[in-house]
Amino acid sequence: MGKMEAAGGLAVTTGVDVNAAVERLRAEGIPAKVAAKDATLWGPDAEAEAAIRLGWVDTFVKSKELLAPLAKLRAELGEQGVDHIALAGMGGSSLAPEVISRTLDLGISILDTTDPGQILAELGEAKLRRTAVVVSSKSGSTVETDSQRRAFEKAFEAIGVTEHAGRFVFVTDPGSALESLANEQGSHLFLADATVGGRYSALTAFGLVPTALAGADVSELIDQAEAFAATIGSEDDDPAVVLGAVIAAKPTITIADDGTGVVGLGDWAEQLIAESLGKDGKGTLPVVLEGPAAAGARGSDRVYATVGGSSTGLPTSGSALAMPDVVVNGPLGAQFLAWELATAYAGYLIGIDPFNQPNVTESKNNTNRILADGLPEERPHAVDGAVEIYGSHAGTVAGALGELITDADTADAYIAVMAYLDRIDDAEVAKLRAELAERTGAPVTWGWGPRFLHSTGQFHKGGRQTGVFLQITGAAAEDLDIPGRDYTFAGLQAAQAAGDRQALESRERPLVRLHLTDRKRGVNQLLHAVRELS
């Protein structure tokens, strides 16, 4: 297949010509400088941020201190009849735990949503009586996480669990409001490494606390990362250097599981790459695929990557034409560190600060203003069955989707589908990504709102300004109050969607909104309409 480098249990094999970039990284000593936490590598404007954000390089050493208290707490919770973990967290606080949970089949409920239906599903009495809630927020003030915490508190009280403080486990940075709350009410508290940014925090308390409490042997993840860390800057094989050069090689990287043991890593890598590299009008766009060779995997503007846990480094079957452009195989702990290193190297090659996120707060600020002032008044251009159409001249759903595809028929364009729905009950709608990808040469991404705001949302505003956006919203069959707030979960979800629309519309990019007045009927309509398109 071309170039292959393997070390520390992980192999990267690629047919992409990255020799010049690899040699540049090595000649300039970049791996060794990253290992030494040299904050000057990404330029003077990035130095101050990098100086306090390089702890991830060896954070797994500090994370060993978590092992004994986590084992003790898991045993205590088990004695109380707790055998289920719900995680309230967003972005870097939820994505790594989700990969670990899916890979190890831990069954953690990941609540990175404001959809009332998805939250209500976790609040039934039978499930709640056996649940402990991990509340994870680096800042301690994340609105989604705070709202979920309040809902769980009220639900525990409603079923008579009045001493519910012991059912909460808080993970946060030192000095946050969440630390103060934990100490005030007597909840369990784990402080994370403050020198690690959220999207690089897989091997900190954010990634390890919920998964250890759910039964993962997180010491194995730490050992895998430590073994891989010993290879950084190797004069022989250094897989992360090759991976970093591959990420920087093309405008887009498509990522799929290869079916050999690591599940869902693309969702975590999506945030890492998009939020780290999507700024200054440039960067690499990550596209998460449903599976190997899914629609839109290949193209002259993209690198197609597969990820797995196999130690062989290459698929065992398939023709050369079906081979991905890069194969990344190895244990999950090594995968986390390798992709983090590779993203930092790619930032150096592209000329981007991989540690800031200058556009992330824009939609959040819009949301806060809307919550204070009320939703803007909007009227649909047309109504087609169970779907209201906004931002399009078309009178039908098929026509609106056709306009979207036409808008994306330009050089460097990509389509971003953003669904503010229940990603469990409304999961069928995600088939729309592949359907759109089959009908256009553009890369097509999928994001569940507001989850993607903590991920590709940075790229949408700060990356290359060639996005074409489809926002899908839906009427909630049942709403849920947020205790102590004058808005509900459905109201918060609607405000987040509107706030993000305002941020995107200010950039004068094409944006169509399809609102489902009946979610089940509306989803069926969308899929039927896109399949009608040639």
PDB file of all heavy atoms in Angstrom, residues 373-399:
ATOM      1  N   ASP A 373     -34.358  37.295  25.143  1.00  0.00           N
ATOM      2  CA  ASP A 373     -35.266  38.158  24.379  1.00  0.00           C
ATOM      3  C   ASP A 373     -36.419  37.424  23.717  1.00  0.00           C
ATOM      4  O   ASP A 373     -37.391  38.049  23.286  1.00  0.00           O
ATOM      5  CB  ASP A 373     -34.483  38.910  23.294  1.00  0.00           C
ATOM      6  CG  ASP A 373     -33.397  39.804  23.866  1.00  0.00           C
ATOM      7  OD1 ASP A 373     -33.472  40.138  25.070  1.00  0.00           O
ATOM      8  OD2 ASP A 373     -32.471  40.159  23.109  1.00  0.00           O
ATOM      9  N   GLY A 374     -36.301  36.117  23.582  1.00  0.00           N
ATOM     10  CA  GLY A 374     -37.330  35.345  22.901  1.00  0.00           C
ATOM     11  C   GLY A 374     -36.896  34.942  21.500  1.00  0.00           C
ATOM     12  O   GLY A 374     -36.029  35.580  20.888  1.00  0.00           O
ATOM     13  N   LEU A 375     -37.502  33.878  20.985  1.00  0.00           N
ATOM     14  CA  LEU A 375     -37.170  33.385  19.647  1.00  0.00           C
ATOM     15  C   LEU A 375     -37.561  34.403  18.588  1.00  0.00           C
ATOM     16  O   LEU A 375     -38.609  35.050  18.706  1.00  0.00           O
ATOM     17  CB  LEU A 375     -37.902  32.071  19.372  1.00  0.00           C
ATOM     18  CG  LEU A 375     -37.380  30.811  20.072  1.00  0.00           C
ATOM     19  CD1 LEU A 375     -38.388  29.688  19.936  1.00  0.00           C
ATOM     20  CD2 LEU A 375     -36.039  30.391  19.483  1.00  0.00           C
ATOM     21  N   PRO A 376     -36.735  34.558  17.554  1.00  0.00           N
ATOM     22  CA  PRO A 376     -37.114  35.465  16.463  1.00  0.00           C
ATOM     23  C   PRO A 376     -38.350  34.938  15.741  1.00  0.00           C
ATOM     24  O   PRO A 376     -38.547  33.723  15.616  1.00  0.00           O
ATOM     25  CB  PRO A 376     -35.880  35.444  15.543  1.00  0.00           C
ATOM     26  CG  PRO A 376     -35.190  34.162  15.858  1.00  0.00           C
ATOM     27  CD  PRO A 376     -35.438  33.901  17.308  1.00  0.00           C
ATOM     28  N   GLU A 377     -39.189  35.843  15.255  1.00  0.00           N
ATOM     29  CA  GLU A 377     -40.383  35.430  14.536  1.00  0.00           C
ATOM     30  C   GLU A 377     -40.009  35.018  13.118  1.00  0.00           C
ATOM     31  O   GLU A 377     -39.401  35.783  12.370  1.00  0.00           O
ATOM     32  CB  GLU A 377     -41.394  36.581  14.490  1.00  0.00           C
ATOM     33  CG  GLU A 377     -42.734  36.181  13.893  1.00  0.00           C
ATOM     34  CD  GLU A 377     -43.771  37.293  13.975  1.00  0.00           C
ATOM     35  OE1 GLU A 377     -43.589  38.211  14.806  1.00  0.00           O
ATOM     36  OE2 GLU A 377     -44.731  37.242  13.190  1.00  0.00           O
ATOM     37  N   GLU A 378     -40.351  33.809  12.761  1.00  0.00           N
ATOM     38  CA  GLU A 378     -40.023  33.283  11.438  1.00  0.00           C
ATOM     39  C   GLU A 378     -41.255  32.599  10.859  1.00  0.00           C
ATOM     40  O   GLU A 378     -41.987  31.913  11.570  1.00  0.00           O
ATOM     41  CB  GLU A 378     -38.865  32.282  11.511  1.00  0.00           C
ATOM     42  CG  GLU A 378     -37.563  32.858  12.023  1.00  0.00           C
ATOM     43  CD  GLU A 378     -36.500  31.784  12.223  1.00  0.00           C
ATOM     44  OE1 GLU A 378     -36.560  31.099  13.254  1.00  0.00           O
ATOM     45  OE2 GLU A 378     -35.639  31.639  11.349  1.00  0.00           O
ATOM     46  N   ARG A 379     -41.460  32.782   9.567  1.00  0.00           N
ATOM     47  CA  ARG A 379     -42.556  32.107   8.884  1.00  0.00           C
ATOM     48  C   ARG A 379     -42.001  31.239   7.767  1.00  0.00           C
ATOM     49  O   ARG A 379     -41.102  31.660   7.033  1.00  0.00           O
ATOM     50  CB  ARG A 379     -43.534  33.131   8.315  1.00  0.00           C
ATOM     51  CG  ARG A 379     -44.274  33.922   9.393  1.00  0.00           C
ATOM     52  CD  ARG A 379     -45.308  34.856   8.779  1.00  0.00           C
ATOM     53  NE  ARG A 379     -46.026  35.605   9.787  1.00  0.00           N
ATOM     54  CZ  ARG A 379     -46.983  36.479   9.523  1.00  0.00           C
ATOM     55  NH1 ARG A 379     -47.324  36.718   8.250  1.00  0.00           N
ATOM     56  NH2 ARG A 379     -47.595  37.113  10.508  1.00  0.00           N
ATOM     57  N   PRO A 380     -42.528  30.038   7.617  1.00  0.00           N
ATOM     58  CA  PRO A 380     -42.020  29.162   6.552  1.00  0.00           C
ATOM     59  C   PRO A 380     -42.346  29.709   5.169  1.00  0.00           C
ATOM     60  O   PRO A 380     -43.393  30.334   4.965  1.00  0.00           O
ATOM     61  CB  PRO A 380     -42.737  27.838   6.814  1.00  0.00           C
ATOM     62  CG  PRO A 380     -43.989  28.217   7.553  1.00  0.00           C
ATOM     63  CD  PRO A 380     -43.616  29.404   8.392  1.00  0.00           C
ATOM     64  N   HIS A 381     -41.436  29.462   4.234  1.00  0.00           N
ATOM     65  CA  HIS A 381     -41.714  29.816   2.839  1.00  0.00           C
ATOM     66  C   HIS A 381     -42.799  28.915   2.270  1.00  0.00           C
ATOM     67  O   HIS A 381     -43.631  29.337   1.459  1.00  0.00           O
ATOM     68  CB  HIS A 381     -40.434  29.683   2.015  1.00  0.00           C
ATOM     69  CG  HIS A 381     -40.661  29.787   0.531  1.00  0.00           C
ATOM     70  ND1 HIS A 381     -40.865  30.985  -0.107  1.00  0.00           N
ATOM     71  CD2 HIS A 381     -40.759  28.821  -0.436  1.00  0.00           C
ATOM     72  CE1 HIS A 381     -41.060  30.781  -1.390  1.00  0.00           C
ATOM     73  NE2 HIS A 381     -41.004  29.469  -1.621  1.00  0.00           N
ATOM     74  N   ALA A 382     -42.772  27.668   2.723  1.00  0.00           N
ATOM     75  CA  ALA A 382     -43.747  26.702   2.229  1.00  0.00           C
ATOM     76  C   ALA A 382     -43.908  25.592   3.261  1.00  0.00           C
ATOM     77  O   ALA A 382     -43.057  25.412   4.144  1.00  0.00           O
ATOM     78  CB  ALA A 382     -43.300  26.111   0.893  1.00  0.00           C
ATOM     79  N   VAL A 383     -45.008  24.864   3.156  1.00  0.00           N
ATOM     80  CA  VAL A 383     -45.249  23.693   3.996  1.00  0.00           C
ATOM     81  C   VAL A 383     -45.539  22.514   3.070  1.00  0.00           C
ATOM     82  O   VAL A 383     -46.409  22.596   2.200  1.00  0.00           O
ATOM     83  CB  VAL A 383     -46.431  23.915   4.964  1.00  0.00           C
ATOM     84  CG1 VAL A 383     -46.678  22.652   5.781  1.00  0.00           C
ATOM     85  CG2 VAL A 383     -46.172  25.107   5.877  1.00  0.00           C
ATOM     86  N   ASP A 384     -44.778  21.430   3.262  1.00  0.00           N
ATOM     87  CA  ASP A 384     -44.946  20.229   2.449  1.00  0.00           C
ATOM     88  C   ASP A 384     -45.198  19.066   3.402  1.00  0.00           C
ATOM     89  O   ASP A 384     -44.265  18.559   4.042  1.00  0.00           O
ATOM     90  CB  ASP A 384     -43.694  19.987   1.608  1.00  0.00           C
ATOM     91  CG  ASP A 384     -43.805  18.742   0.727  1.00  0.00           C
ATOM     92  OD1 ASP A 384     -44.902  18.151   0.658  1.00  0.00           O
ATOM     93  OD2 ASP A 384     -42.785  18.361   0.114  1.00  0.00           O
ATOM     94  N   GLY A 385     -46.459  18.666   3.561  1.00  0.00           N
ATOM     95  CA  GLY A 385     -46.780  17.580   4.479  1.00  0.00           C
ATOM     96  C   GLY A 385     -46.413  17.935   5.907  1.00  0.00           C
ATOM     97  O   GLY A 385     -46.878  18.928   6.462  1.00  0.00           O
ATOM     98  N   ALA A 386     -45.540  17.129   6.515  1.00  0.00           N
ATOM     99  CA  ALA A 386     -45.135  17.334   7.904  1.00  0.00           C
ATOM    100  C   ALA A 386     -43.864  18.171   8.011  1.00  0.00           C
ATOM    101  O   ALA A 386     -43.207  18.179   9.057  1.00  0.00           O
ATOM    102  CB  ALA A 386     -44.932  15.985   8.592  1.00  0.00           C
ATOM    103  N   VAL A 387     -43.526  18.875   6.937  1.00  0.00           N
ATOM    104  CA  VAL A 387     -42.262  19.626   6.921  1.00  0.00           C
ATOM    105  C   VAL A 387     -42.509  21.087   6.542  1.00  0.00           C
ATOM    106  O   VAL A 387     -43.097  21.378   5.487  1.00  0.00           O
ATOM    107  CB  VAL A 387     -41.251  19.009   5.926  1.00  0.00           C
ATOM    108  CG1 VAL A 387     -39.921  19.773   5.966  1.00  0.00           C
ATOM    109  CG2 VAL A 387     -41.025  17.535   6.239  1.00  0.00           C
ATOM    110  N   GLU A 388     -42.049  21.996   7.396  1.00  0.00           N
ATOM    111  CA  GLU A 388     -42.028  23.422   7.079  1.00  0.00           C
ATOM    112  C   GLU A 388     -40.684  23.769   6.465  1.00  0.00           C
ATOM    113  O   GLU A 388     -39.630  23.310   6.965  1.00  0.00           O
ATOM    114  CB  GLU A 388     -42.258  24.262   8.332  1.00  0.00           C
ATOM    115  CG  GLU A 388     -43.631  24.073   8.967  1.00  0.00           C
ATOM    116  CD  GLU A 388     -43.799  24.853  10.263  1.00  0.00           C
ATOM    117  OE1 GLU A 388     -42.763  25.319  10.817  1.00  0.00           O
ATOM    118  OE2 GLU A 388     -44.945  24.985  10.734  1.00  0.00           O
ATOM    119  N   ILE A 389     -40.673  24.572   5.425  1.00  0.00           N
ATOM    120  CA  ILE A 389     -39.452  24.892   4.675  1.00  0.00           C
ATOM    121  C   ILE A 389     -39.095  26.360   4.891  1.00  0.00           C
ATOM    122  O   ILE A 389     -39.905  27.249   4.642  1.00  0.00           O
ATOM    123  CB  ILE A 389     -39.646  24.608   3.174  1.00  0.00           C
ATOM    124  CG1 ILE A 389     -40.023  23.135   2.956  1.00  0.00           C
ATOM    125  CG2 ILE A 389     -38.394  24.981   2.380  1.00  0.00           C
ATOM    126  CD1 ILE A 389     -40.505  22.829   1.547  1.00  0.00           C
ATOM    127  N   TYR A 390     -37.893  26.592   5.352  1.00  0.00           N
ATOM    128  CA  TYR A 390     -37.382  27.947   5.575  1.00  0.00           C
ATOM    129  C   TYR A 390     -36.084  28.123   4.781  1.00  0.00           C
ATOM    130  O   TYR A 390     -35.282  27.196   4.647  1.00  0.00           O
ATOM    131  CB  TYR A 390     -37.065  28.183   7.051  1.00  0.00           C
ATOM    132  CG  TYR A 390     -38.237  28.065   8.001  1.00  0.00           C
ATOM    133  CD1 TYR A 390     -38.693  26.824   8.425  1.00  0.00           C
ATOM    134  CD2 TYR A 390     -38.868  29.207   8.491  1.00  0.00           C
ATOM    135  CE1 TYR A 390     -39.760  26.707   9.310  1.00  0.00           C
ATOM    136  CE2 TYR A 390     -39.940  29.099   9.384  1.00  0.00           C
ATOM    137  CZ  TYR A 390     -40.370  27.856   9.780  1.00  0.00           C
ATOM    138  OH  TYR A 390     -41.431  27.751  10.659  1.00  0.00           O
ATOM    139  N   GLY A 391     -35.855  29.325   4.278  1.00  0.00           N
ATOM    140  CA  GLY A 391     -34.591  29.642   3.623  1.00  0.00           C
ATOM    141  C   GLY A 391     -34.439  29.069   2.235  1.00  0.00           C
ATOM    142  O   GLY A 391     -33.318  28.979   1.714  1.00  0.00           O
ATOM    143  N   SER A 392     -35.532  28.655   1.631  1.00  0.00           N
ATOM    144  CA  SER A 392     -35.493  28.094   0.284  1.00  0.00           C
ATOM    145  C   SER A 392     -36.634  28.682  -0.528  1.00  0.00           C
ATOM    146  O   SER A 392     -37.685  29.040   0.016  1.00  0.00           O
ATOM    147  CB  SER A 392     -35.619  26.570   0.338  1.00  0.00           C
ATOM    148  OG  SER A 392     -35.842  26.029  -0.946  1.00  0.00           O
ATOM    149  N   HIS A 393     -36.450  28.753  -1.825  1.00  0.00           N
ATOM    150  CA  HIS A 393     -37.520  29.216  -2.715  1.00  0.00           C
ATOM    151  C   HIS A 393     -38.416  28.074  -3.164  1.00  0.00           C
ATOM    152  O   HIS A 393     -39.417  28.290  -3.847  1.00  0.00           O
ATOM    153  CB  HIS A 393     -36.919  29.909  -3.948  1.00  0.00           C
ATOM    154  CG  HIS A 393     -36.099  31.119  -3.615  1.00  0.00           C
ATOM    155  ND1 HIS A 393     -36.637  32.251  -3.060  1.00  0.00           N
ATOM    156  CD2 HIS A 393     -34.763  31.360  -3.747  1.00  0.00           C
ATOM    157  CE1 HIS A 393     -35.691  33.156  -2.866  1.00  0.00           C
ATOM    158  NE2 HIS A 393     -34.545  32.634  -3.273  1.00  0.00           N
ATOM    159  N   ALA A 394     -38.044  26.850  -2.791  1.00  0.00           N
ATOM    160  CA  ALA A 394     -38.786  25.677  -3.249  1.00  0.00           C
ATOM    161  C   ALA A 394     -40.073  25.495  -2.452  1.00  0.00           C
ATOM    162  O   ALA A 394     -40.155  25.872  -1.278  1.00  0.00           O
ATOM    163  CB  ALA A 394     -37.916  24.435  -3.128  1.00  0.00           C
ATOM    164  N   GLY A 395     -41.042  24.876  -3.069  1.00  0.00           N
ATOM    165  CA  GLY A 395     -42.306  24.607  -2.415  1.00  0.00           C
ATOM    166  C   GLY A 395     -42.428  23.197  -1.898  1.00  0.00           C
ATOM    167  O   GLY A 395     -43.427  22.845  -1.274  1.00  0.00           O
ATOM    168  N   THR A 396     -41.418  22.352  -2.177  1.00  0.00           N
ATOM    169  CA  THR A 396     -41.438  20.962  -1.721  1.00  0.00           C
ATOM    170  C   THR A 396     -40.107  20.625  -1.056  1.00  0.00           C
ATOM    171  O   THR A 396     -39.089  21.294  -1.279  1.00  0.00           O
ATOM    172  CB  THR A 396     -41.653  19.986  -2.884  1.00  0.00           C
ATOM    173  OG1 THR A 396     -40.516  20.065  -3.779  1.00  0.00           O
ATOM    174  CG2 THR A 396     -42.924  20.321  -3.654  1.00  0.00           C
ATOM    175  N   VAL A 397     -40.133  19.566  -0.253  1.00  0.00           N
ATOM    176  CA  VAL A 397     -38.897  19.118   0.396  1.00  0.00           C
ATOM    177  C   VAL A 397     -37.873  18.694  -0.654  1.00  0.00           C
ATOM    178  O   VAL A 397     -36.690  19.033  -0.564  1.00  0.00           O
ATOM    179  CB  VAL A 397     -39.193  17.962   1.372  1.00  0.00           C
ATOM    180  CG1 VAL A 397     -37.891  17.390   1.923  1.00  0.00           C
ATOM    181  CG2 VAL A 397     -40.084  18.440   2.517  1.00  0.00           C
ATOM    182  N   ALA A 398     -38.321  17.951  -1.662  1.00  0.00           N
ATOM    183  CA  ALA A 398     -37.409  17.521  -2.729  1.00  0.00           C
ATOM    184  C   ALA A 398     -36.796  18.731  -3.426  1.00  0.00           C
ATOM    185  O   ALA A 398     -35.603  18.743  -3.742  1.00  0.00           O
ATOM    186  CB  ALA A 398     -38.131  16.633  -3.733  1.00  0.00           C
ATOM    187  N   GLY A 399     -37.604  19.756  -3.666  1.00  0.00           N
ATOM    188  CA  GLY A 399     -37.085  20.962  -4.306  1.00  0.00           C
ATOM    189  C   GLY A 399     -36.060  21.668  -3.445  1.00  0.00           C
ATOM    190  O   GLY A 399     -35.036  22.151  -3.945  1.00  0.00           O
TER     191      GLY A 399
END
